[in-house]
Amino acid sequence: MNPTRSILQQLVTQGVIPADSVNKVEVERTKTSETEEQIIRRLGLVDEKALIKAKSDIFNIPYVDLTALEIPEQSLSEINVESLRKYNAVPFSHVENVVKVAMLDPFDVQVIQALETKYPAGTKLEIYFADANGVNAVLDRRVGDHMSTEVTDALEDVQVPVADLTEQVGDEYVGNMEGMDLKSAPVARIVNSILQYGVKTGSSDIHIEPLENRLRVRFRVNGMMTERLSLPKHLASSVVSRLKILARLKIDEKRVPLDGRLQLKIGDKKIDVRVSTLPNIYGEKVVMRLLENDLEHISLDTTGLRGAAYKHLLDAMSVTNGIILVTGPTGSGKTRTLAGALIRLNDPKVNIITLEDPVEIRVPGVTQVQVKAEVGLTFAAGLRSILRQDPDIVLVGEIRDQETAQLAVQASLTGHLVLSTLHTNSSSAAIPRLLDMGIESYLLASTLRCIVAQRLPRRVCKYCAESYPAAPEVMKNIKEALASVKNFDVVNYAKKLAEAAKTREAEGVVLKMPDKDPSGMDQIYLYRGKGCDRCGGSGYKGRTGIFEVLTVTEKIGRMMMEDVMATDVEKTAIEDGMITMIQDGYLKAIEGITTIEEVLRVSKD
């Protein structure tokens, strides 16, 4: 150990950073209370691995590159992956009574003591430095390996014909579920592993699909489908039956689609799962939608709404009557936006009733009604009944037909605030759609408060984000798209981001700017993910919303009564200051939240 040498000096000695960076760091230390290491990270002078190696040399604690090791299964299996993730530690070797452990912080005495309790008395721990990418890569891979191992073990246990397995899960079996050890059943272990993997990877949907000669399992992560598992075809009936049992569905009904729900608790997470079956030529396909049960993470603040668009929506929500519409294709985040609005509006002083198909996000204190068309409870019939329940605020899951649209208008005219969705490609396109449904233009003009249109592009992975200069044709496209934004200079905005926002402190990530500006003063920088273990090599992690909020002003109301085209309404809204979805997307691309490619991809819908 060389305590007299600082991390900065060590990096200079190793030739990792130039000597003039010393002055830069020293100047920063006079301005802030940050440590030398924090400043080096913030300025992005070196990557994480180089910084860890410098600390390794200074403190004489060896560094290990976990990504280059083949770690024995025994070493990893001795402590569960949730604990290792909490400790930020990876045991990578266990020979006799010596365990080698790689840690992000080898000086965390509490973690070391906790690890010692996991092994027999007399076991010696040898501590190593590791970088975050290496630790996360091993632990993420461990989650995937766990699913594969569980499924493989379960398949080896399946020694009976599929007919016998199917017979086991008949009505008699369901009636005696409490007395059965379902968790130890092979098929149950397969299903449990699939569900756990879906939760761990943040999947929104899990698809279990019987094909001609196999059972395919796919996961939708960040809006993109990926195949992760393939099972023998003879297990299809048993896997589907197991899921039907969990969702309390009739396992002997295979001719018609079925819908059910179940709730998972994995660690501290509670996940509501909506289960849907669909008969097809090879069997029954099951799609499970995983829904967040924790309402703390569902709010309008986390959707991506901001600025004037956010204010206009809040203004529309503050009135006691009128209609607020959220538009977009399936999977564009409309349900989450409406749930965020409900949570904000939810108050013991008001009566809120919803009519949904299906009820996806449950909000305590709100009366939520499930549409059941087979028994006559349609949107229109349900809305009539709701209006006799003395509501203040009504949420209609979707306006699908003329009758529902007319009832929504009548409800708003009689002093109710109505929230609903509509499948249109833009906010202005909702107006002719409602007029086509037979709504009188003067009624629409007097009841419609605002229309929100949205899409969900993927977020740039904050762990591997990097900036790069935009190509000239891309810069031209961005400037043209943002030209109509009032009092806004995209070049100056991009410059300020490049100069003053190299560190996205709120997200804990440092974005490095290119050393040279190849195009002079007018260069615009964009961002992309290089691909890392945390994002599965995709460069994206999570999704955000891009929005446009059209406020129905008096001028736009007059245009609606004059049967003006949607494009003219949109033009007027832009003149009044509306930021379009494509503009909101481009701004978020310049800020490093998403990419231009993602904005263009989702805007095509």
Side-chain angles (χ1 to χ4, degrees):
M1 177 174 176
N2 185 1
T4 60
R5 172 165 288 183
S6 70
I7 295 175
L8 182 61
Q9 291 171 332
Q10 183 68 25
L11 290 169
V12 173
T13 302
Q14 292 176 343
V16 179
I17 61 174
D20 58 6
S21 293
V22 175
N23 293 332
K24 187 184 296 185
V25 174
E26 291 299 331
V27 169
E28 287 294 318
R29 289 198 68 175
T30 64
K31 300 178 182 178
T32 178
S33 60
E34 291 178 309
T35 65
E36 185 178 85
E37 182 178 343
Q38 289 172 329
I39 294 170
I40 292 170
R41 290 179 190 273
R42 175 165 60 81
L43 296 178
L45 298 177
V46 295
D47 60 25
E48 183 72 13
K49 188 174 288 188
L51 193 59
I52 297 296
K53 285 182 177 179
K55 291 169 68 175
S56 169
D57 291 340
I58 292 172
F59 297 105
N60 198 27
I61 298 174
Y63 165 81
V64 61
D65 184 356
L66 293 173
T67 60
L69 293 181
E70 288 290 336
I71 302 176
E73 170 66 21
Q74 178 193 352
S75 300
L76 283 173
S77 62
E78 292 172 323
I79 302 177
N80 68 64
V81 70
E82 287 81 9
S83 296
L84 293 176
R85 201 178 287 282
K86 182 173 72 175
Y87 300 151
N88 282 317
V90 172
F92 61 92
S93 174
H94 189 171
V95 179
E96 296 180 350
N97 66 334
V98 178
V99 178
K100 295 181 178 180
V101 182
M103 297 177 59
L104 294 188
D105 183 5
F107 305 107
D108 193 328
V109 178
Q110 289 184 329
V111 167
I112 293 173
Q113 290 174 345
L115 286 170
E116 286 175 341
T117 64
K118 304 289 184 180
Y119 296 99
T123 303
K124 179 184 177 183
L125 298 187
E126 290 186 2
I127 306 301
Y128 288 72
F129 261 116
D131 59 87
N133 280 342
V135 170
N136 290 320
V138 173
L139 297 182
D140 289 345
R141 189 166 61 244
R142 176 68 180 158
V143 172
D145 290 345
H146 178 71
M147 182 181 74
S148 299
T149 303
E150 285 284 311
V151 171
T152 301
D153 292 345
L155 288 176
E156 290 176 355
D157 290 344
V158 179
Q159 301 293 338
V160 291
V162 66
D164 293 343
L165 278 174
T166 306
E167 289 170 7
Q168 286 182 19
V169 287
D171 291 335
E172 182 179 349
Y173 183 73
V174 175
N176 295 293
M177 276 180 63
E178 292 183 3
M180 303 296 293
D181 185 12
L182 294 178
K183 291 184 179 179
S184 65
V187 173
R189 294 216 311 273
I190 292 173
V191 170
N192 290 349
S193 296
I194 291 170
L195 291 171
Q196 287 177 3
Y197 186 79
V199 173
K200 295 287 186 183
T201 55
S203 302
S204 60
D205 301 86
I206 302 172
H207 293 239
I208 299 177
E209 306 161 297
L211 303 180
E212 186 176 6
N213 52 17
R214 65 189 178 99
L215 185 66
R216 179 173 66 176
V217 183
R218 293 192 291 172
F219 299 83
R220 188 181 293 278
V221 182
N222 299 333
M224 307 297 283
M225 292 277 281
T226 309
E227 182 175 341
R228 282 285 180 261
L229 190 64
S230 182
L231 297 171
K233 178 65 185 292
H234 74 273
L235 287 177
S237 178
S238 303
V239 169
V240 172
S241 294
R242 169 62 178 164
L243 287 167
K244 283 184 173 182
I245 289 172
L246 292 173
R248 295 181 175 85
L249 297 174
K250 295 180 179 179
I251 61 173
D252 57 343
E253 180 56 83
K254 302 180 181 181
R255 300 164 298 172
V256 297
L258 301 173
D259 289 295
R261 295 181 79 104
L262 62 98
Q263 189 175 83
L264 301 176
K265 186 176 181 182
I266 299 178
D268 295 330
K269 280 189 175 182
K270 282 187 179 179
I271 306 291
D272 283 326
V273 182
R274 194 183 83 205
V275 181
S276 171
T277 70
L278 181 68
N280 61 47
I281 59 173
Y282 296 120
E284 288 180 279
K285 174 175 177 174
V286 180
V287 175
M288 292 175 283
R289 171 152 290 185
L290 279 59
L291 305 165
E292 289 183 69
N293 189 264
D294 185 2
L295 296 182
E296 290 182 6
H297 297 103
I298 300 177
S299 72
L300 288 178
D301 297 332
T302 61
T303 58
L305 267 168
R306 60 187 188 175
Y310 193 16
K311 181 181 182 300
H312 291 324
L313 177 57
L314 293 182
D315 289 344
M317 289 166 53
S318 67
V319 299
T320 57
N321 62 80
I323 299 175
I324 298 173
L325 290 177
V326 181
T327 72
T330 301
S332 59
K334 300 187 298 296
T335 300
R336 189 183 179 94
T337 299
L338 285 176
L342 278 188
I343 291 168
R344 192 176 187 93
L345 290 166
N346 195 11
D347 188 289
K349 297 176 183 177
V350 296
N351 180 22
I352 304 176
I353 304 179
T354 77
L355 189 63
E356 303 170 70
D357 184 21
V359 176
E360 293 190 344
I361 300 173
R362 300 184 182 186
V363 183
V366 173
T367 302
Q368 295 178 273
V369 180
Q370 168 76 54
V371 167
K372 294 181 180 178
E374 65 273 15
V375 296
L377 183 54
T378 61
F379 277 113
L383 188 51
R384 280 198 203 91
S385 299
I386 283 174
L387 294 177
R388 293 193 288 269
Q389 291 282 314
D390 186 32
D392 297 294
I393 299 169
V394 176
L395 185 147
V396 182
E398 183 183 348
I399 295 177
R400 297 178 178 174
D401 52 46
Q402 180 180 9
E403 190 177 8
T404 307
Q406 288 175 338
L407 285 168
V409 169
Q410 291 300 321
S412 66
L413 286 171
T414 54
H416 303 89
L417 180 62
V418 180
L419 291 79
S420 190
T421 69
L422 203 63
H423 285 278
T424 59
N425 289 329
S426 65
S427 55
S428 58
I431 295 171
R433 176 74 182 278
L434 290 170
L435 293 173
D436 288 343
M437 286 183 179
I439 306 300
E440 295 291 343
S441 58
Y442 70 93
L443 290 176
L444 195 59
S446 61
T447 57
L448 200 55
R449 295 285 178 258
C450 82
I451 308 168
V452 180
Q454 68 177 92
R455 299 291 188 277
L456 284 180
R458 290 179 290 174
R459 278 181 170 271
V460 173
C461 174
K462 65 182 181 181
Y463 301 104
C464 60
E466 65 175 1
S467 60
Y468 67 97
E473 60 272 18
V474 175
M475 284 198 295
K476 180 182 177 183
N477 181 264
I478 292 172
K479 290 176 183 177
E480 290 175 353
L482 296 173
S484 63
V485 180
K486 290 184 178 180
N487 304 317
F488 180 77
D489 186 329
V490 63
V491 174
N492 285 336
Y493 185 66
K495 278 186 195 176
K496 289 177 182 177
L497 288 172
E499 293 167 1
K502 292 180 183 178
T503 304
R504 298 208 321 242
E505 293 182 0
E507 298 183 36
V509 60
V510 176
L511 299 175
K512 297 180 185 177
M513 302 304 301
D515 294 331
K516 295 182 180 179
D517 185 342
S519 306
M521 295 294 288
D522 289 346
Q523 180 65 52
I524 294 175
Y525 293 99
L526 299 175
Y527 300 84
R528 62 193 170 201
K530 292 182 288 186
C532 65
D533 294 305
R534 292 202 183 190
C535 62
S538 67
Y540 297 100
K541 191 172 179 63
R543 290 190 289 177
T544 189
I546 57 173
F547 295 85
E548 63 182 34
V549 178
L550 189 155
T551 300
V552 181
T553 60
E554 185 178 341
K555 184 177 181 180
I556 289 177
R558 287 197 302 269
M559 295 176 71
M560 289 162 60
M561 289 189 285
E562 294 168 3
D563 200 19
V564 175
M565 295 181 64
T567 52
D568 294 324
V569 172
E570 182 178 47
K571 184 178 178 182
T572 300
I574 292 172
E575 290 172 355
D576 290 341
M578 182 182 81
I579 301 293
T580 66
M581 265 192 304
I582 197 78
Q583 289 173 337
D584 188 34
Y586 279 6
L587 287 171
K588 285 172 178 169
I590 294 171
E591 294 164 19
I593 297 172
T594 186
T595 64
I596 290 289
E597 292 78 11
E598 275 297 291
V599 173
L600 295 175
R601 179 181 68 83
V602 300
S603 298
K604 291 178 182 178
D605 297 333

